[in-house]
Amino acid sequence: MSKKALLAVAVGLLLMRPSHAGAFSDVPFDHWAYNAVQDLAQAGILEGYPGGTFDGPQPMTRYEFAVAIHRMLKNLEKLPKGMSKEDLEKWFAENRAKLVGPAGSKGDKGDSGSAGAKGGDGTKGADGRDGAPGAKGEKGDKGADGQIPKDWLTKLEAIEKLTKEFKGELDTMGQNVNQALARIAALESKAAAMADTLNDHEARIEELERIKWYGGITTEIGLDGAIDQTGAQDGDLGFESGEAFSYLGVKVGLDANLGGDMRGRVTWWYDSDANQHHGLQSAGLAGLGVDEAWVRLPGLGGKWIFGRQYAGQDYESGAATPALGLGTGYYTGAALTGIRAEYGLGTFGKLTLLAQADDSAASGVGGGILNANVAGVARWDVDFPWFKKAGGEPLIKLGFQTVGHMPNNNAAGIGKGFNDGTRSSEWSISANAYVNVLKGLKIEYTSQFRNEIGTTPDLNLDTDADGQVIYAELGILDTPTFELAVKGGLVEQDYTLSHSILTNPYTRANGVFTLMDRPVMLDSFINQFGPTQGFDVDFKWNIGSRPLKVRWAGSTRRLDLFNWAIGGSFPLVQTGKGDVSIQAIYADVDPGHALNVAGLTSQGVMGVRLVGGFSF
C-alpha cells in the first residue's frame, strides 16, 4: 500500500471515530488543534498524561512517536489486504460500527472563550399574532339551495333494500334479544333466591357451629400380676386365673358458643369401675357422672368460669388442664365444682383466684354443700421482664400461689382420698419457675404449713409443719424422631396435701398399672407417705408414624418400698380417630408395698394390656 493510501486509511480511521468533547482538560475547545487531538485520542493513537492532561507544548520524544505509529498500524491491520480505494470506502461504510470505539467519559467544562465578532443579520422572525376581530359586516344574499350528493341517495336506497330483504331475520333477532333479556332477568331472580338460600344455610351452619358434640371411647383388656382371684394384691410375678381385667370408659360432651365471649361445656362420663375418680354421681347411676359443666364469661374487669372445672382450666381454649403450675401445690385429676376469676395485670402478669368444693356434697350425703371439702387458691404468674431471648420470648417465667383447704370429716369419701375422717385444715405455698433452656426447665417448690392430722404428732413424731417438695422437669431432646424428658424430686415425709399430683393423682387402676397411670412416678409406693426421692424418665422414638414410648422410674432412697419400674407402649393399629396399643410394665418393690403385701423379699410384678382409644 502506498503512503498516500496509508495516509488516507489513517485519516479514514480518524474520521470514523465519534467526536467526544473534552478528552483532555488542558486542550480548550477553541484551540486550532482541538479536533485533531480529540480524534487521535478517541482512536486510541494518542494518550495523555496522568491527571487527564495532554500537555501540548511538551516536545514529543521518538519513543512516544513510535508508540503512536504502532497503535495506528495496529488499527490498519484490521483492514483486508490488497484493496482499492473504492473497496476501502465500501469497507469503511460496512464496518464503521465495528471500528468505532466506546464513548469516552464527559470532560470537565472548559473556560469561557472571548467574545466573537458580531454576527450577520438573523433570519426573519415569525409573523405576529392576529389583531382583534373587526366590526360585523352586512348580511349577504341568500345562497342556492343545497343538494344531497347522488352517491348518498344510491347508498340509502341500497340500505332500504337490504332492510326489506332481511326484515324477517331482523325481527327474529329482535325477538331473540327480548327473550335473552327475559332469561337474564329470570336468572338474576334465581340468583337472588339462591343467595337468600345460601344465607339461610350459612345461618344454619353458624347455628350448628354454636353447638359442637364430641366424645371418646377407651377400652382395656389385660393381665395384672398383682391381683389374685379375689381381687386382692398377691404381689407375685406370675399370671394366674382371675388376674385378667377389662375396662370401658365413654365420654360424651358438647361445647356451646353462647354469643360474644360466652362459652359453655357439659361432659358426661361413664366408666365400668363405678366412676371412682371423676364425675358428679348419684345413687343408681354409679357408673355415670358429670365431669365438666361450666360457663365462661367476662365481667368486673376479669374473666370468669362458673361450674365444674379442672384446677388449671384454660379460659381461652377450654383445655381441661388438671394442674396449677406443676401440680405439687394444687392438682385435681377430675373436674370439681367451683368459681374461677382471672385478671390481667399487664406487664405484671396474671392473677388467678379459684374456689372449689369436692363431690361429697352431692354424693347422697346429707347436709348438702356444707359437707364438702373446700379449697381456695390464689396464684400470680409473671414473666421475668429483665431476661428475654432474641425473639422477645421470656427466658424466665415465675409463678407463686397459696392454697387453703378446709375438709369436712363428716362427709363420706368416694375414693378420692379427701374424706378419711382425719382431715384438718391445710395450708401451703408454692413457687415455680420456667427457664427457657434446652427444651424447657420447670422447677416447683411447695411447703405444707399444716398437715392432715392437725396438731397431733405427725409422721416424724413432732408437730412441726415440715412437709416440703422440690420437684423439677427438664426437656432434653425434642426432634421429629426422638424425645427425651427427665422428672425428679425430693419429698419430705410430712408432705400429705389432699390436692397434689404426688399424693392424690386420681389413678383408676388398682394393680401394677397404677404406677404407669400416674402422671409422676415419684411418690409411687401408693400406701406410703413420704419421704422419698427419685427420678422419672420419659423417652419416645417415632418409628415412622408409630411412637414407641418407654418410661423408666426409680427411687434413689434406700428406705423406699418402691425400687424401680420400667414400662412402655407401642401402637399396633393407627387410624385418624384413634389407635390400639400394647402396654407393659415391670416393677420391683419391697415387702410392705401395696404390690408386695404377701412377699418376704423384694420381688417383681408385671402387667400387660391392650388399650384402645377413639374419639369422635
Side-chain angles (χ1 to χ4, degrees):
M1 183 180 293
S2 65
K3 294 182 177 179
K4 292 183 178 180
L6 180 61
L7 180 60
V9 171
V11 173
L13 289 173
L14 293 177
L15 293 177
M16 292 174 67
R17 293 290 180 175
S19 177
H20 296 270
F24 301 109
S25 61
D26 60 344
V27 180
F29 288 95
D30 55 352
H31 194 279
W32 59 271
Y34 175 80
N35 290 333
V37 174
Q38 178 74 4
D39 291 341
L40 289 172
Q42 294 301 325
I45 296 174
L46 293 182
E47 292 184 354
Y49 292 96
T53 62
F54 181 66
D55 202 1
Q58 175 71 26
M60 187 177 187
T61 66
R62 293 171 64 87
Y63 296 113
E64 293 172 336
F65 179 76
V67 171
I69 295 300
H70 179 265
R71 291 175 184 152
M72 183 178 69
L73 291 176
K74 285 294 184 181
N75 286 339
L76 292 176
E77 289 177 357
K78 301 177 183 178
L79 301 176
K81 305 295 183 180
M83 297 181 66
S84 64
K85 179 180 180 181
E86 290 76 11
D87 293 334
L88 285 174
E89 292 177 352
K90 182 179 179 181
W91 184 84
F92 282 139
E94 293 175 352
N95 295 274
R96 179 181 180 86
K98 297 180 180 179
L99 296 174
V100 175
S105 58
K106 183 177 180 180
D108 297 332
K109 183 177 179 181
D111 299 331
S112 300
S114 58
K118 181 179 181 180
D121 295 337
T123 58
K124 181 180 179 181
D127 296 337
R129 296 193 305 174
D130 295 338
K136 183 176 181 181
E138 297 178 357
K139 183 177 182 181
D141 298 333
K142 180 179 180 181
D145 295 336
Q147 295 181 354
I148 299 176
K150 292 182 179 181
D151 59 337
W152 286 21
L153 294 174
T154 303
K155 293 178 180 178
L156 289 173
E157 290 174 357
I159 293 173
E160 184 178 0
K161 183 178 179 180
L162 291 172
T163 301
K164 291 179 179 180
E165 182 178 351
F166 294 100
K167 183 177 184 304
E169 287 81 353
L170 293 174
D171 292 342
T172 302
M173 290 177 62
Q175 294 176 2
N176 292 339
V177 171
N178 292 333
Q179 292 175 0
L181 292 175
R183 291 178 181 177
I184 292 174
L187 290 174
E188 289 177 346
S189 177
K190 290 182 179 180
M194 291 178 64
D196 293 339
T197 303
L198 181 60
N199 292 334
D200 292 340
H201 286 315
E202 289 179 347
R204 292 179 182 179
I205 292 174
E206 184 178 354
E207 184 66 25
L208 290 174
E209 289 179 345
R210 293 173 67 91
I211 300 177
K212 296 182 179 180
W213 290 89
Y214 64 92
I217 298 175
T218 302
T219 181
E220 299 178 10
I221 56 173
L223 296 171
D224 192 326
I227 304 176
D228 64 12
Q229 299 181 22
T230 64
Q233 309 291 341
D234 64 355
D236 58 24
L237 186 59
F239 294 122
E240 304 167 354
S241 175
E243 293 184 343
F245 68 91
S246 63
Y247 167 77
L248 174 65
V250 180
K251 181 171 66 173
V252 178
L254 63 87
D255 275 334
N257 186 344
L258 305 178
D261 199 31
M262 293 183 61
R263 179 179 170 186
R265 175 181 296 172
V266 178
T267 304
W268 293 270
W269 202 328
Y270 166 82
D271 54 36
S272 57
D273 68 348
N275 203 269
Q276 180 184 10
H277 289 295
H278 49 255
L280 185 65
Q281 55 186 337
S282 60
L285 293 175
L288 178 65
V290 177
D291 191 46
E292 295 178 77
W294 51 261
V295 175
R296 80 170 195 193
L297 69 160
L300 301 177
K303 300 176 180 179
W304 296 75
I305 301 180
F306 298 88
R308 295 181 57 80
Q309 56 191 289
Y310 283 75
Q313 195 87 36
D314 187 82
Y315 181 91
E316 303 298 336
S317 66
T321 304
L324 280 174
L326 295 182
T328 63
Y330 194 71
Y331 172 92
T332 61
L336 300 178
T337 304
I339 301 174
R340 175 190 308 271
E342 295 181 1
Y343 284 88
L345 305 177
T347 57
F348 295 99
K350 180 181 70 174
L351 176 65
T352 300
L353 303 175
L354 174 65
Q356 286 187 298
D358 297 331
D359 289 333
S360 56
S363 59
V365 179
I369 193 70
L370 296 179
N371 275 345
N373 296 302
V374 179
V377 184
R379 180 176 177 84
W380 176 38
D381 291 281
V382 63
D383 297 342
F384 209 64
W386 296 281
F387 298 98
K388 292 187 178 181
K389 302 190 75 173
E393 182 182 0
L395 185 62
I396 300 176
K397 299 179 181 180
L398 303 177
F400 306 91
Q401 76 181 30
T402 180
V403 180
H405 183 257
M406 180 64 69
N408 189 300
N409 294 324
N410 295 323
I414 55 172
K416 292 187 177 180
F418 298 130
N419 307 303
D420 56 6
T422 64
R423 298 284 174 177
S424 178
S425 59
E426 299 173 349
W427 176 41
S428 65
I429 62 170
S430 299
N432 65 274
Y434 168 79
V435 183
N436 197 345
V437 296
L438 292 179
K439 300 304 175 181
L441 172 62
K442 301 176 182 178
I443 303 174
E444 184 164 89
Y445 167 80
T446 296
S447 179
Q448 179 179 349
F449 287 93
R450 194 166 186 179
N451 58 51
E452 63 172 6
I453 53 178
T455 58
T456 60
D458 54 20
L459 296 177
N460 61 354
L461 302 179
D462 60 35
T463 58
D464 296 333
D466 53 3
Q468 301 177 66
V469 171
I470 299 177
Y471 172 68
E473 299 178 359
L474 175 63
I476 300 176
L477 191 64
D478 187 2
T479 70
T481 305
F482 299 105
E483 295 180 19
L484 178 63
V486 178
K487 308 171 186 176
L490 169 66
V491 183
E492 294 285 352
Q493 68 178 13
D494 283 349
Y495 175 79
T496 56
L497 284 179
S498 299
H499 297 85
S500 170
I501 196 172
L502 300 179
T503 59
N504 194 19
Y506 290 47
T507 53
R508 178 189 55 78
N510 292 320
V512 67
F513 284 104
T514 302
L515 299 178
M516 194 166 185
D517 291 341
R518 296 172 74 97
V520 181
M521 205 186 304
L522 181 61
D523 185 20
S524 52
F525 30 76
I526 304 175
N527 63 335
Q528 173 190 356
F529 293 111
T532 186
Q533 60 189 33
F535 60 89
D536 190 349
V537 180
D538 290 317
F539 173 75
K540 183 169 76 170
W541 178 16
N542 292 316
I543 306 174
S545 61
R546 300 175 186 268
L548 171 63
K549 299 179 181 179
V550 178
R551 187 176 182 185
W552 174 44
S555 173
T556 57
R557 184 176 181 272
R558 294 181 60 186
L559 296 178
D560 285 350
L561 301 181
F562 167 74
N563 297 320
W564 58 272
I566 186 170
S569 67
F570 186 75
L572 303 177
V573 179
Q574 286 185 313
T575 68
K577 293 294 185 179
D579 56 36
V580 176
S581 62
I582 183 170
Q583 299 180 1
I585 184 173
Y586 177 91
D588 184 85
V589 292
D590 289 336
H593 192 278
L595 301 181
N596 188 8
V597 176
L600 300 177
T601 60
S602 173
Q603 67 178 238
V605 182
M606 69 177 300
V608 178
R609 66 182 176 183
L610 286 176
V611 180
F614 302 91
S615 60
F616 55 88

